[in-house]
Amino acid sequence: MKKSAASEQTDSVEKTPAGKRTAAGRKAAAGKKTAASKKTAAVEKSTVGAKTGAAEKTAAAEKTAAKRTATKKTAAKKPAPLKRQAPAKKPAVAPKKAAAAVKGVAPAKTVAAEPPSGESRTALVRRARRIDRELAEVYPYAHPELDFENPFQLVVATVLSAQTTDLRVNQTTPALFAKYPTPEDLAAAVPEEVEEILRPTGFFRAKTKSVIGLSKALAEDFGGEVPGRLEDLVKLPGVGRKTAFVVLGNAFGRPGITVDTHFQRLVRRWRWTAETDPDKIEAAVGALFPKSDWTDLSHHVIWHGRRICHARKPACGACPIAPLCPAYGEGETDPEKAKKLLKYEKGGFPGQRLKPPQAYLDAGGKPAPPLGAG
């Protein structure tokens, strides 16, 4: 039996909303599930990407660390360049005090001199002796440049010559010895009066103390006589090895080397020795010459140092031993300019002694003027 139109219409109206709602709900649920799935996939993708990025960063860091380690190992294996070490400095030898000379009263032991580079010891000895022979021809009248008439005057004059010229001493001692001619007289002198006489020599207070002290020692210990032995002379106040050898060589005729500032300068310039201590210089130079030559050798060297081979500006162009000198050229080499640097009789000027030996006068030397003259 057929339904009526109204029934069919009613059924369709009842069925349609429910069906539609069901379809719409299913469609919406499906949409939600799809969105959730997409979101989950996105999160997973993001997590995987983050993990992948972290892994890549870790791998890169490990690779960099490996490179650094390899570089360090390579640097460690490569030998470091050696640094050039500066040559060890030779320790300076401080000059001994005058009092130390008392312990070694005998002449210093001879030692082998160090010849210049490329020069054998035999060649050094020959060159040194030839220089001395040449100087002996240049200064045949060489003598001690202190005025004296006896050993007492010589020892006093030598003590006074420290830190001044022989000329100044020679101009001062005439008044001193005129007033105090003997050790006993000088030992009893009033210090202030002696100081006034010695004032021109410089350091007059210290020098007054020394000459009065040595005069007392001579009067009390040696009967007013200057001893002729090194070990006795060096015990006197103000007397060291240099002064002792001046007295022994020129007052007693006993050979000795006088190592003053001129002697020290020249023997180093000539490379006879590289020593700086006076006792060692004495020993080194003494080994190059016979003992009998020592006193005259001292005069020759000292005279040359005062007249030609000066400390500041040597007159190399006027030097008679220039071909033998390793230091040629340190001073003026022009002959005409060098002549203007010559001193004393070599430059046409007076010498240092007021009363020089006759041989000096015969050779053209001029006596020094007295104190206060001209």
Side-chain angles (χ1 to χ4, degrees):
M1 181 173 183
K2 291 182 183 179
K3 293 181 178 180
S4 62
S7 298
E8 290 176 355
Q9 187 175 3
T10 302
D11 290 341
S12 65
V13 169
E14 293 175 351
K15 289 179 181 179
T16 300
K20 285 181 180 180
R21 284 197 296 267
T22 303
R26 287 176 182 173
K27 189 174 182 180
K32 288 181 179 179
K33 287 181 180 179
T34 302
S37 298
K38 288 181 178 180
K39 188 175 182 180
T40 303
V43 171
E44 289 178 352
K45 186 176 181 181
S46 176
T47 304
V48 171
K51 289 182 179 179
T52 303
E56 289 177 353
K57 288 182 180 179
T58 303
E62 290 176 353
K63 190 174 181 180
T64 303
K67 285 183 179 180
R68 289 177 181 175
T69 304
T71 303
K72 288 181 180 180
K73 288 182 179 180
T74 304
K77 290 181 181 179
K78 186 177 179 181
L82 297 176
K83 294 182 178 180
R84 293 183 63 184
Q85 295 182 350
K89 293 183 179 179
K90 186 177 179 182
V93 180
K96 297 179 181 178
K97 295 181 180 179
V102 178
K103 296 181 180 179
V105 291
K109 294 181 181 179
T110 57
V111 295
E114 290 293 335
S117 176
E119 184 177 38
S120 67
R121 169 144 181 97
T122 301
L124 171 61
V125 172
R126 289 176 177 172
R127 182 169 62 86
R129 295 186 181 184
R130 183 179 174 188
I131 287 176
D132 184 43
R133 290 195 300 270
E134 295 284 346
L135 293 180
E137 294 182 5
V138 176
Y139 311 107
Y141 43 76
H143 55 270
E145 295 193 87
L146 290 169
D147 281 322
F148 69 98
E149 296 178 358
N150 53 57
F152 171 64
Q153 291 185 1
L154 180 58
V155 70
V156 170
T158 306
V159 170
L160 296 178
S161 67
Q163 305 298 321
T164 190
T165 63
D166 288 355
L167 171 60
R168 182 61 67 188
V169 174
N170 291 335
Q171 292 174 329
T172 305
T173 51
L176 180 69
F177 296 139
K179 191 170 184 178
Y180 311 105
T182 67
E184 291 81 3
D185 295 328
L186 190 53
V190 177
E192 289 75 16
E193 295 179 0
V194 177
E195 287 178 2
E196 194 59 33
I197 296 174
L198 301 183
R199 186 180 293 273
T201 66
F203 303 96
F204 57 90
R205 291 189 179 88
K207 291 179 180 180
T208 296
K209 184 177 179 180
S210 292
V211 296
I212 290 180
L214 74 86
S215 297
K216 288 181 178 179
L218 291 175
E220 296 172 3
D221 301 333
F222 299 99
E225 299 292 333
V226 177
R229 298 195 309 167
L230 177 66
E231 56 266 36
D232 293 329
L233 284 170
V234 295
K235 293 178 183 178
L236 300 175
V239 177
R241 290 182 69 89
K242 184 194 83 169
T243 299
F245 281 129
V246 170
V247 176
L248 290 174
N250 298 287
F252 295 97
R254 298 179 182 177
I257 295 178
T258 304
V259 185
D260 71 348
T261 55
H262 301 288
F263 194 94
Q264 293 182 48
R265 179 178 72 252
L266 267 62
V267 298
R268 284 198 294 269
R269 276 182 179 169
W270 296 335
R271 297 185 188 174
W272 288 4
T273 180
E275 298 290 350
T276 57
D277 178 73
D279 290 352
K280 293 182 179 181
I281 292 175
E282 175 196 330
V285 175
L288 303 176
F289 296 88
K291 192 173 182 179
S292 58
D293 293 347
W294 288 357
T295 300
D296 287 340
L297 168 70
S298 299
H299 290 322
H300 298 154
V301 175
I302 293 171
W303 274 59
H304 191 60
R306 287 174 173 168
R307 285 150 177 77
I308 297 176
C309 195
H310 311 135
R312 295 183 180 179
K313 199 170 184 181
C316 294
C319 181
I321 59 167
L324 301 173
C325 181
Y328 175 79
E330 287 187 8
E332 180 58 64
T333 56
D334 181 83
E336 294 302 320
K337 293 181 180 179
K339 286 181 181 178
K340 298 179 181 179
L341 301 174
L342 301 180
K343 295 183 178 180
Y344 302 112
E345 75 281 355
K346 290 299 179 183
F349 304 109
Q352 298 202 73
R353 291 188 67 166
L354 278 66
K355 299 179 180 179
Q358 188 61 43
Y360 180 70
L361 298 175
D362 293 342
K366 301 178 182 179
L371 186 66

